[in-house]
Amino acid sequence: MPPGPAVRALPQVPAGFGSVAPCATEVVHNLPGTSRTRPSVRTDAVQRAPEAGLPVLLVEVDRCTEADDVLAGKFARYREFFRVQVKDHSIAVTHGGQGVPLWQTHYPPTDRDGYPPILVVFDPGTRLGEQALKNRMNRVLDLTREHWTGTYKGFGAQAAAADR
């Protein structure tokens, strides 16, 4: 039998760059009670490159084919998915007896407060001009503001009294 084709070694990934191997597309994140009336969240791409300091990055690619409010509505579903707590005793035991967010059972810790980052890539193609794209981005920004802004807690004695 003749020898097979030579197997070529892949080049080394430069420092600071992650491999494309841990990338998955069209990842479905199911919400409890998912049905036709309560859809899951479908992420366009999930990138993981812990060797480059990126535990997980969720990517939404907007090709400007759906309404602004449809794209913005995905952020409410992401927040709902991120807030789901695992009730399974065997999983909770491995996390100190406490419940754990479901997303943390799928992805490694991000070593930062909050939820995993979501990157939105706007690709207007030939559908939108520069100004129309800017307008779309600003509308989506405004419609999703409640999902990414913090709340002011205040400082000093007044804030301590308000927290009681």
Side-chain angles (χ1 to χ4, degrees):
M1 173 181 259
V7 176
R8 223 175 59 180
L10 293 175
Q12 289 294 327
V13 177
F17 285 86
S19 165
V20 295
C23 183
T25 59
E26 297 299 324
V27 177
V28 177
H29 296 100
N30 289 317
L31 296 167
T34 300
S35 68
R36 282 185 277 182
T37 59
R38 187 174 180 177
S40 58
V41 181
R42 181 180 302 271
T43 305
D44 293 324
V46 175
Q47 178 67 51
R48 294 175 56 194
E51 71 279 6
L54 180 68
V56 62
L57 176 66
L58 307 176
V59 181
E60 283 296 327
V61 179
D62 175 39
R63 301 197 64 213
C64 303
T65 58
E66 58 191 8
D68 303 341
D69 60 333
V70 172
L71 174 59
K74 289 183 178 183
F75 287 85
R77 292 194 307 275
Y78 272 115
R79 180 175 60 186
E80 190 174 348
F81 172 72
F82 293 149
R83 289 181 172 176
V84 172
Q85 294 283 314
V86 173
K87 306 278 193 249
D88 185 315
H89 177 70
S90 63
I91 294 173
V93 167
T94 63
H95 288 84
Q98 301 295 315
V100 64
L102 176 62
W103 72 266
Q104 290 181 2
T105 67
H106 297 293
Y107 304 112
T110 61
D111 295 330
R112 61 188 279 280
D113 290 337
Y115 305 134
I118 302 171
L119 171 69
V120 180
V121 178
F122 290 89
D123 175 18
T126 58
R127 291 174 195 83
L128 299 178
E130 185 177 340
Q131 188 59 49
L133 178 60
K134 286 180 184 177
N135 292 342
R136 177 176 177 78
M137 292 168 70
N138 284 325
R139 281 192 305 272
V140 171
L141 183 72
D142 289 341
L143 291 168
T144 61
R145 188 171 307 280
E146 71 177 283
H147 301 291
W148 54 265
T149 57
T151 56
Y152 179 71
K153 296 288 185 181
F155 296 98
Q158 290 177 339
D163 287 341
R164 287 184 217 146

